[in-house]
Amino acid sequence: MAKVGITETVLRDAHQSLIATRMTTEEMLPVLEQLDAVGFHSLECWGGATFDACLRFLNEDPWERLRIIRKKAPNTKLQMLFRGQNMLGYRHYADDVVEYFVQKSVANGIDILRIFDALNDVRNLETAIKATKKEGAHLQAAISYTTGPVFSTEYYVKYAKELEERGADSICIKDMAGLLTPYATYDLVKALKESVKIPIQLHSHYTAGLASMVLLKGIEAGVDVIDTAMSPLAMGTSHPATESMVAALKGTPYDTGLDLVKLDGIRAYFDTLRQKYLKSGLMNTKVLGVDANALLYQVPGGMLSNLVSQLKQAGKEDKLEEVLKEVPRVRADAGYPPLVTPSSQIVGTQAVYNVITGERYKMVTKEFKGIVRGEYGATPVPIDPQFRKKIIGDEEPITCRPADLLEPELDKLRAECSEWVEQEEDVLSYAQFGQVAVKFFEQRRNEKYHIDKNVDMENKVHPV
């Protein structure tokens, strides 16, 4: 048995799960060299919601963040999370944009792209897979794990084989809602190891309180790499603690070989950040405990906070229990999509509407219509034709790969944002986040103007 590798998620998924992705690059800087010296399999540090949060809330350039991390952590593979044809935005993009995004991600320092599709529709990963292989990066294809009528071990094995055939270098079981149970994990990993010849990585959130046991049973079944988070930003809706898993495996055939003393120095640094987040209210104690409701309603942690916030805005906080019960019903109507971005937001928002209007599907969101029409790809279970007609009327459903209907759009996007562009990557920020990116570009220009002006003033020769 080879030693188990660890992907450290503290720079991306851990703070995305616990503090809404608000860790700044400045807060990361002091600890990057220490993280680099540990010997992790990889550092997950980019993608997911980090791109959006940088532009929207932190007034940071996500590309610059990546370059800084790359420079400060030259010895460790850097990993990102990428939503296939959705990239890091919330719609499908044309193939030329997806290809360019992959090219620039690798050029700026990404070694491993973990690519997934919210519906497990392999067609939505084709372009991203080809582009990643072309750039010579490691393509990790992820299975969005969920439960429901069709989600058997056989379903996941079949999907994993498809991903391997398309060129995946490794497979990740992505348990975003913490739905895996220890023995189900053992059986699934065993079946995957017997069916595919590439490494298997395991990613499970602690939401329901099972993730440490899930990782352990996965390791016993042959998992090659696990995702963990430094303890101050672990547990709750995040991941099992890195130090605890390293200690649990020490002296066994699965020993990670990582040094707990080195980890303790990093832990101490993140502990000061944790205290800061708790004090500021950025870290809500609601996300720190165990919520076994996740096993009943399959609502990931991030989705839960969205539902609470939507109900709060409508002054209907007392309806949360009703909404949680409505989520699985809406999901069943929509063909049982796994609840991960963007399908989690789509199903969750529709469930909120169904409850607060007092009539199911009286109001239907544009995005829910899109999922029913096939704009996001094929749902795991075919949608009932009568239900589809109720939601989209006489509109023609989409049965092809949705991106086949999109014209190349990179040149058009370049033209639209040309006045703001200071680096080639800016067009990709604009492509995904439109006006949010423009607002960031404006602030960047204003700050630069003030700095240049000040420097100019300082350089003027004053008469003596």
Side-chain angles (χ1 to χ4, degrees), residues 399-450:
T399 52
C400 64
R401 182 183 80 112
D404 287 342
L405 303 172
L406 300 175
E407 295 291 327
E409 56 180 330
L410 195 54
D411 290 343
K412 177 175 156 280
L413 290 162
R414 275 204 183 100
E416 281 176 20
C417 68
S418 57
E419 66 170 299
W420 307 107
V421 169
E422 290 183 14
Q423 57 179 356
E424 290 176 351
E425 291 82 358
D426 285 343
V427 68
L428 293 161
S429 303
Y430 173 76
Q432 295 170 103
F433 297 106
Q435 287 311 303
V436 170
V438 167
K439 193 177 167 202
F440 165 75
F441 298 152
E442 282 174 346
Q443 282 178 287
R444 179 178 66 182
R445 181 181 288 178
N446 291 342
E447 280 165 21
K448 205 171 173 191
Y449 171 75
H450 289 309

Side-chain angles (χ1 to χ4, degrees), residues 198-260:
I198 51 180
I200 305 289
Q201 184 153 350
L202 183 54
H203 167 102
S204 183
H205 286 259
Y206 214 93
T207 319
L210 296 171
S212 295
M213 295 180 275
V214 160
L215 293 190
L216 199 56
K217 292 307 284 183
I219 289 163
E220 288 174 1
V223 145
D224 301 277
V225 186
I226 57 173
D227 283 13
T228 62
M230 290 303 301
S231 58
L233 289 176
M235 319 287 271
T237 52
S238 179
H239 302 275
T242 303
E243 308 94 300
S244 309
M245 290 308 298
V246 168
L249 301 172
K250 200 169 177 57
T252 73
Y254 315 110
D255 198 322
T256 62
L258 302 188
D259 183 344
L260 278 167

Side-chain angles (χ1 to χ4, degrees), residues 48-287:
T50 60
F51 208 99
D52 189 347
C54 277
L55 294 170
R56 195 183 300 269
F57 303 115
L58 304 176
N59 192 29
E60 282 190 26
D61 178 9
W63 298 100
E64 188 55 25
R65 171 180 290 190
L66 176 56
R67 290 189 284 264
I68 288 167
I69 297 172
R70 176 75 289 166
K71 191 178 173 190
K72 294 282 185 184
N75 307 303
T76 309
K77 287 192 164 81
L78 300 186
Q79 183 169 319
M80 75 170 290
L81 182 67
F82 187 64
R83 297 195 280 267
Q85 209 70 31
N86 282 66
M87 305 201 302
L88 304 176
Y90 305 104
R91 68 170 176 90
H92 276 205
Y93 295 88
D95 289 337
D96 61 343
V97 183
V98 175
E99 286 160 4
Y100 193 53
F101 188 94
V102 170
Q103 184 193 327
K104 285 298 178 189
S105 300
V106 176
N108 281 280
I110 289 294
D111 302 291
I112 302 169
L113 284 93
R114 177 180 289 171
I115 299 175
F116 76 97
D117 177 63
L119 301 180
N120 288 331
D121 184 343
V122 75
R123 299 171 306 169
N124 292 333
L125 303 181
E126 282 170 9
T127 302
I129 288 174
K130 283 179 197 153
T132 305
K133 303 299 280 185
K134 185 183 171 193
E135 297 305 319
H138 178 105
L139 186 284
Q140 182 171 89
I143 294 166
S144 297
Y145 180 83
T146 188
T147 55
V150 295
F151 301 105
S152 59
T153 298
E154 293 70 32
Y155 167 92
Y156 291 119
V157 166
K158 181 173 177 282
Y159 188 48
K161 281 181 174 168
E162 273 188 90
L163 295 170
E164 183 182 36
E165 281 161 17
R166 302 286 174 122
D169 297 304
S170 62
I171 300 276
C172 173
I173 304 166
K174 180 176 165 56
D175 176 26
M176 57 280 171
L179 298 177
L180 272 171
T181 57
Y183 290 98
T185 304
Y186 186 89
D187 294 342
L188 176 57
V189 172
K190 205 86 180 137
L192 289 174
K193 292 298 282 186
E194 285 163 9
S195 309
V196 297
K197 303 287 175 279
I198 51 180
I200 305 289
Q201 184 153 350
L202 183 54
H203 167 102
S204 183
H205 286 259
Y206 214 93
T207 319
L210 296 171
S212 295
M213 295 180 275
V214 160
L215 293 190
L216 199 56
K217 292 307 284 183
I219 289 163
E220 288 174 1
V223 145
D224 301 277
V225 186
I226 57 173
D227 283 13
T228 62
M230 290 303 301
S231 58
L233 289 176
M235 319 287 271
T237 52
S238 179
H239 302 275
T242 303
E243 308 94 300
S244 309
M245 290 308 298
V246 168
L249 301 172
K250 200 169 177 57
T252 73
Y254 315 110
D255 198 322
T256 62
L258 302 188
D259 183 344
L260 278 167
V261 175
K262 278 186 183 172
L263 290 173
D264 191 52
I266 296 166
R267 180 208 59 76
Y269 176 74
F270 281 111
D271 198 47
T272 60
L273 284 187
R274 179 189 168 94
Q275 299 315 316
K276 177 179 158 185
Y277 299 144
L278 282 166
K279 203 172 171 185
S280 69
L282 201 51
M283 188 183 274
N284 187 324
T285 48
K286 276 184 183 170
V287 298

